[in-house]
Amino acid sequence: MTDPVVTSAPPRRAPLWHRLPIVHQLRQSVGLQRGMLIAGLTLTGIFLLTAIFAPVLAPYGFAQLRDDNGFFGAQQAPGGAHLLGTTVGGYDVLSRVIWGTQTALAVIVVAVMLSIFAGVFLGLISGYIGGWLDRVLVVIADAVFAFPTLLLAIVAAIVISGGQSTLFGGVLAAAVSITVVYIPQYFRVIRAETVRIKSEAYVESAKVIGSSTSRIMFRHVLRNATRTLPLIFTLNSSEAILTLAGLGFLGFGIEPTSAAEWGYDLNRSISDVTSGIWWTSVFPGLAIVLVVLGITLVGESLNDLADPRLRTRRKADSPTSGVATADDAAPVTAATSATDSTGAPA
Amino acid sequence: MRFIIVRFLLIFPTIFILVTMVFLLMRSIGDPITAALGGRLSAQQLAERIEAAGYNRPLIVQYFEYIGQVATGNFGTAISDGRPVSQLLLTYGGATLELAFYALLVAFVVGIPLGMVAAYLRDRWPDAVLRVVAILFYATPVFFAGLLLKLVFSVWLKVLPVAGRASTRTELQMGKLENRTGIYLIDAIQLGSPAAISDVLQHAVLPGLALGLLTAGVFLRLVRTNVIGTLSMDYVDAARSRGVSEFRLVRKHAYKPALIPIITVIGLQIAVLLGGAVLTETTFEWKGLGFKLAEYLSARDFVAVQGIVALLAVIVALSNFIVDILAAVIDPRVRY
């Protein structure tokens, strides 16, 4: 997040540790905003740790129906051997909630990676080169952007996996479906930034001294256009989880024997709810809510800290944070207001 | 006037791009007959059906035929039950429209006042609580919100119905109406029976809440940010220096300009609402377009799925057009 082209160099640069993305914001924040950021980071941290240590934490496998004492039995109330009860299919609820973090994390990583690469690349090309290609891409991105994301994801899921599938195919299908939907968002932001940066003096200087187009694009423009990415990244991760759950809920998720997926579990619990069996829906649902809440809190805080109108100021400004603030403010505001006016993320 | 014409013409490329994308994507996995009936019919029968439906012709021919059909309002015929998709709009569209209306109502009633409160009490604890609430509304998938509401109000407290749009009795009564609209609230009013009206409204509460709270969170955030923005404007400072109270500043001065972005966002929210309607309708067995879509999905009837998705693309494009015109009428700055 450091700016390679600083016009007026700060008197003394803060240590590297303080300039790292999250750490920088954490130091910059005060009061409530710091509280929200810390809460978000904690929830996200728990989510990541659960995903990594799922094999250790989960009492049973996600597709395990029986142990040495025989079958678990369907719809067992919480308590005893099954802390959170069992589902209508006879799975252990706690184990499926824990294993579900792995599926969610895998989908986020693949989906966000894919959409960042595709969206950033297209946005950069479109914004820098312009012309008819730019116009066509903008019209397509706008059309896709205005359409219900879930419906598009359904169509993509049908195409990729024809419906249900294995862990690898299912994760990939969900991730690609989500990617198709989110490319336009990255595209729009990066394109807007690129168009703005293109007219900056340092890009012209680079042209004058004879730098190649690709060098200008990737060294000068891309470096400066990506400062808003951490923000969109967090917002899209949470949307990816919601879309995955939505697909699972409609029966386009991953088979229960291939992986644990919260949306699928919720779908199976619709009829349970009517008969008062609450544990099969409440726990996977809470897992979704907490993970999305955590990631969104981080994204929200980053957004507010990047926008001087929304940032709570520290009472007495320290010299280093003052410089960083003035330096960061302007371009980020332009990009965030671009996302804000569309109502993203929610 | 020029704005309206230009904006109207922009509808067509949007619809065209979406319909083309959906067509190409859906056809890239093969013909819909095999997808729906493969395994249930012999290879011979399948080939005959494919031949009869014309799916063995070159893709480009099928594509132009399809575009022509969509242009004349023909969205194809479902394979599983043989119903034309455009007819589904008449039968089930009313239900989805009604659900979207309730959801928007909830969003307005909950989102806008809370957003103003949050802006007024900026950076104090009620603001913090409200902001977390807004994120919670967003973080809760509509189907989980629906299941929770169902669990609490229908199963535990037993004060509201579990699912459906009306009780069987009311449905029967409304079935006798001559000019049914499919929008149950209007039909119940036509019946003139208070019992029917209250029955319909009782069924609407939970689905409306489940879907509406999602958008309420969006409105809350938007109103908060914009009121904070307008509160620092010169004219508000001027009013403040005249001794106008902080509360009145929010209520009278900062509030109206903050509502303009809401209108623009409603356009985008229509897409969100339609996506959410698919999930809400499935959760509450609310028999609308989304419920039908989910049914066709599980029947692997991809002609119907493609048709409904294309139909929704048209609805989204049209409603965005209307919203943009409204926004231009209210705020002259957005015209081009």
Side-chain angles (χ1 to χ4, degrees):
Chain A
M1 290 236 61
T2 53
D3 192 339
V5 196
V6 183
T7 38
S8 60
R12 181 172 53 87
R13 300 205 85 164
L16 175 69
W17 165 245
H18 292 166
R19 284 185 279 124
L20 288 176
I22 298 288
V23 181
H24 170 69
Q25 271 93 358
L26 198 57
R27 287 171 50 83
Q28 194 186 19
S29 61
V30 281
L32 268 180
Q33 277 178 349
R34 174 171 268 182
M36 283 170 72
L37 183 55
I38 291 176
L41 287 174
T42 313
L43 282 174
T44 314
I46 294 174
F47 164 60
L48 291 177
L49 288 177
T50 312
I52 294 168
F53 296 108
V56 187
L57 292 171
Y60 305 99
F62 52 81
Q64 197 175 340
L65 287 170
R66 52 179 300 167
D67 58 7
D68 300 340
N69 304 324
F71 282 101
F72 296 159
Q75 299 175 325
Q76 298 289 316
H82 304 282
L83 272 182
L84 304 183
T86 59
T87 72
V88 67
Y91 301 116
D92 179 56
V93 175
L94 176 63
S95 305
R96 281 191 67 84
V97 168
I98 291 176
W99 284 104
T101 55
Q102 280 199 341
T103 317
L105 184 62
V107 170
I108 291 181
V109 170
V110 180
V112 174
M113 284 298 166
L114 286 176
S115 33
I116 283 187
F117 277 114
V120 168
F121 184 72
L122 287 175
L124 199 60
I125 302 265
S126 180
Y128 191 77
I129 295 175
W132 64 269
L133 178 77
D134 184 41
R135 284 198 206 132
V136 170
L137 284 175
V138 167
V139 172
I140 294 181
D142 280 356
V144 173
F145 188 74
F147 198 65
T149 50
L150 183 67
L151 294 183
L152 213 54
I154 290 173
V155 173
I158 293 176
V159 173
I160 293 160
S161 63
Q164 307 211 323
S165 50
T166 58
L167 171 62
F168 183 72
V171 167
L172 198 66
V176 174
S177 331
I178 293 162
T179 304
V180 171
V181 176
Y182 292 122
I183 286 177
Q185 290 190 13
Y186 289 93
F187 170 82
R188 284 161 67 114
V189 175
I190 293 296
R191 182 187 165 276
E193 278 283 272
T194 307
V195 169
R196 186 185 64 77
I197 292 169
K198 203 168 78 172
S199 57
E200 296 270 333
Y202 59 81
V203 174
E204 269 178 45
S205 320
K207 271 189 204 152
V208 169
I209 62 167
S211 304
S212 69
T213 308
S214 63
R215 189 184 155 87
I216 298 177
M217 264 168 61
F218 290 100
R219 270 203 76 85
H220 299 287
V221 180
L222 179 61
R223 281 273 201 93
N224 289 294
T226 47
R227 44 173 46 194
T228 48
L229 280 188
L231 222 156
I232 325 172
F233 172 85
T234 50
L235 301 180
N236 277 16
S237 312
S238 48
E239 285 207 44
I241 297 190
L242 291 177
T243 309
L244 172 70
L247 284 176
F249 186 74
L250 289 175
F252 279 88
I254 298 156
E255 296 231 357
T257 45
S258 315
E261 202 273 301
W262 298 325
Y264 171 88
D265 289 349
L266 279 169
N267 174 278
R268 297 309 305 271
S269 70
I270 300 181
S271 49
D272 291 355
V273 166
T274 319
S275 41
I277 296 169
W278 54 274
W279 57 90
T280 50
S281 55
V282 168
F283 296 118
L286 274 183
I288 299 176
V289 173
L290 288 178
V291 173
V292 177
L293 180 69
I295 299 177
T296 313
L297 275 175
V298 175
E300 275 270 285
S301 311
L302 294 185
N303 188 18
D304 287 1
L305 288 171
D307 187 340
R309 287 171 308 167
L310 298 174
R311 178 171 55 228
T312 322
R313 298 261 159 77
R314 202 185 291 271
K315 290 272 153 42
D317 258 22
S318 65
T320 34
S321 75
V323 170
T325 311
D327 205 41
D328 278 347
V332 179
T333 321
T336 38
S337 56
T339 40
D340 259 0
S341 64
T342 61
Chain B
M1 199 54 214
R2 189 169 157 268
F3 169 77
I4 296 184
I5 295 169
V6 172
R7 183 62 192 78
F8 182 75
L9 291 177
L10 275 176
I11 295 180
F12 296 102
T14 311
I15 295 176
F16 175 75
I17 288 167
L18 284 171
V19 167
T20 305
M21 264 180 61
V22 172
F23 176 86
L24 290 179
L25 281 172
M26 298 292 275
R27 244 0 110 67
S28 65
I29 44 166
D31 72 284
I33 306 250
T34 316
L37 304 168
R40 269 183 271 167
L41 297 178
S42 69
Q44 172 75 32
Q45 283 171 308
L46 270 183
E48 277 168 17
R49 296 281 294 265
I50 291 170
E51 173 90 41
Y55 289 125
N56 54 349
R57 293 172 299 161
L59 197 62
I60 189 89
V61 176
Q62 292 183 45
Y63 171 68
F64 280 115
E65 189 187 75
Y66 182 68
I67 291 291
Q69 284 175 351
V70 169
T72 53
N74 176 359
F75 289 90
T77 306
I79 297 178
S80 49
D81 56 9
R83 297 176 68 171
V85 172
S86 45
Q87 193 203 318
L88 292 177
L89 180 67
L90 295 177
T91 325
Y92 297 99
T96 304
L97 185 71
E98 197 177 4
L99 179 61
F101 169 75
Y102 293 133
L104 268 183
L105 194 71
V106 168
F108 276 118
V109 171
V110 175
I112 292 178
L114 288 185
M116 282 167 63
V117 169
Y120 176 60
L121 298 171
R122 182 188 175 189
D123 291 332
R124 280 186 266 165
W125 67 265
D127 179 31
V129 171
L130 283 174
R131 296 187 66 191
V132 175
V133 165
I135 300 176
L136 266 179
F137 284 166
Y138 159 75
T140 313
V142 283
F143 47 93
F144 180 52
L147 288 177
L148 276 185
L149 288 168
K150 226 181 193 182
L151 196 63
V152 174
F153 293 102
S154 313
V155 179
W156 288 344
L157 300 178
K158 292 189 177 32
V159 286
L160 289 167
V162 179
R165 294 179 64 199
S167 59
T168 327
R169 215 183 99 114
T170 319
E171 295 244 14
L172 283 176
Q173 280 180 332
M174 288 193 292
K176 290 178 198 138
L177 278 174
E178 272 180 28
N179 40 359
R180 293 187 59 186
T181 55
I183 299 169
Y184 276 19
L185 186 60
I186 296 180
D187 288 347
I189 293 170
Q190 276 189 15
L191 271 179
S193 128
I197 296 175
S198 97
D199 180 54
V200 166
L201 285 178
Q202 276 182 17
H203 280 83
V205 173
L206 295 185
L209 271 179
L211 187 54
L213 288 182
L214 178 69
T215 305
V218 180
F219 284 1
L220 200 169
R221 291 160 43 101
L222 203 66
V223 169
R224 176 186 177 275
T225 316
N226 286 309
V227 169
I228 288 176
T230 44
L231 272 180
S232 61
M233 295 274 220
D234 287 346
Y235 74 92
V236 179
D237 270 342
R240 190 178 283 130
S241 65
R242 289 199 306 272
V244 178
S245 76
E246 265 320 289
F247 178 73
R248 203 183 146 81
L249 281 179
V250 171
R251 186 77 195 79
K252 293 279 173 195
H253 297 255
Y255 153 72
K256 276 197 185 147
L259 287 188
I260 294 173
I262 293 254
I263 297 162
T264 332
V265 166
I266 288 179
L268 282 166
Q269 284 300 307
I270 288 169
V272 176
L273 281 177
L274 280 177
V278 179
L279 299 167
T280 315
E281 288 176 7
T282 312
T283 315
F284 286 100
E285 288 164 53
W286 184 277
K287 298 209 167 62
L289 278 178
F291 182 80
K292 251 353 236 184
L293 179 67
E295 266 188 9
Y296 285 130
L297 276 172
S298 49
R300 303 181 63 78
D301 183 343
F302 295 152
V303 176
V305 171
Q306 186 182 339
I308 293 181
V309 171
L311 187 64
L312 290 176
V314 175
I315 295 176
V316 169
L318 278 178
S319 38
N320 273 334
F321 164 69
I322 295 168
V323 167
D324 278 2
I325 296 298
L326 276 182
V329 168
I330 293 167
D331 183 1
R333 282 173 305 176
V334 299
R335 285 177 209 169
Y336 42 73

